[in-house]
Amino acid sequence: MIDDLFAGMDLYDDRREAPAEGALVLHGYGRTEAPAFLAAVGQIAEEAPFRHIVTPAGYRMSVAVTSCGPLGWATDAQGYRYSPIEPESGRPWPPMPKEFSDLARRAAAEAGFSGFAPDTCLINRYAVGSRISLHQDKHEATYDAPIVSLSLGLPAIFLFGGFERSAPTTRIILGHGDVMVWGGPSRLRYHAVQPIKPGWHPDTGEFRISLTFRKAGRPRREGVSGA
Ligand code: SIN
Ligand code: FE2
């Protein structure tokens, strides 16, 4: 009965969805950590402010981004790349809080990817109407590691597609504290975030914040000298 009473209430949503092999949605997985994570994002953004990246094609992205960790997401005339330096300030990105990488590692393990050690956390800030069009995450040096994404604040409709842009997509609602993992056979699936709908969230106001954890740099090749 209690279950019926709370059915549909986001606060008690801890469902798991597996939209494809190698993909897992862990609803509510990061809800407890959310307030501390948002405070940490505020500190990171003081050091490395959110910026609207202008793509190589001259398009100003509606999503504002920053990063933390050894590598961060940057773009220049040559295109997108991961860089150890925040291009505007010339300084290294703020360090990735251990709590961030711990959560990402645990979530990855839940989806069957043990030992996930992200070297970058991309922080996206979506205002109402912001979106990310269908793309694959392909700028990493290896696709061996999964992608782990934590959603905070306003909900998003996440489209999870196939291996071609034109493939059909599955709609997944990602709310506050939800974590999505995709790796292995799903690592290169196209995905998108539909325009964020108007709303207000007690922890983020009129924004959605997502933290996306990736292993972007060279895989460590232990025991291989001169590599
Ligand atoms: C992305 O595809 O890089 C963004 C994912 C998200 O914001 O949830
Ligand atoms: Fe992506």
Side-chain angles (χ1 to χ4, degrees):
M1 248 210 345
I2 296 287
D3 283 348
D4 288 351
L5 207 58
F6 292 119
M9 272 186 67
D10 184 54
L11 193 59
Y12 292 90
D13 181 3
D14 58 359
R15 286 173 303 128
R16 293 186 170 198
E17 293 179 70
E21 200 190 336
L24 186 65
V25 186
L26 298 152
H27 289 281
Y29 194 78
R31 193 182 297 117
T32 310
E33 288 88 348
F37 278 30
L38 284 166
V41 166
Q43 283 172 7
I44 290 163
E46 274 181 29
E47 260 186 77
F50 281 105
R51 301 186 195 284
H52 291 273
I53 280 182
V54 178
T55 69
Y59 171 77
R60 180 182 182 272
M61 288 186 68
S62 62
V63 176
V65 300
T66 186
S67 295
C68 63
L71 294 171
W73 185 236
T75 187
D76 58 21
Q78 279 79 54
Y80 300 109
R81 65 196 163 86
Y82 287 101
S83 166
I85 300 293
E86 204 263 314
E88 299 275 334
S89 69
R91 293 194 304 259
W93 297 97
M96 191 185 315
K98 186 172 178 302
E99 295 74 19
F100 283 22
S101 44
D102 282 353
L103 181 102
R105 183 192 312 268
R106 281 191 284 118
E110 296 276 353
F113 306 105
S114 60
F116 180 47
D119 57 11
T120 179
C121 169
L122 173 70
I123 307 172
N124 285 326
R125 188 186 65 194
Y126 297 75
V128 169
S130 299
R131 61 192 288 265
I132 288 190
S133 56
L134 267 181
H135 67 279
Q136 296 168 293
D137 286 8
K138 285 216 305 198
H139 294 271
E140 298 71 32
T142 166
Y143 304 141
D144 295 348
I147 309 285
V148 175
S149 159
L150 167 68
S151 296
L152 298 168
L154 287 182
I157 298 171
F158 187 85
L159 301 180
F160 196 54
F163 301 101
E164 283 171 30
R165 194 181 294 278
S166 56
T169 58
T170 304
R171 283 161 60 99
I172 299 166
I173 311 279
L174 294 179
H176 184 65
D178 293 353
V179 174
M180 166 125 190
V181 181
W182 65 101
S186 281
R187 175 62 180 74
L188 288 174
R189 283 185 185 275
Y190 275 87
H191 54 280
V193 175
Q194 290 202 330
I196 302 298
K197 293 184 182 155
W200 189 86
H201 189 279
D203 293 350
T204 62
E206 293 179 305
F207 293 97
R208 168 179 189 254
I209 307 273
S210 71
L211 310 186
T212 307
F213 298 92
R214 301 189 180 95
K215 174 89 181 115
R218 289 193 169 282
R220 273 182 56 209
R221 302 178 63 194
E222 280 163 50
V224 180
S225 59

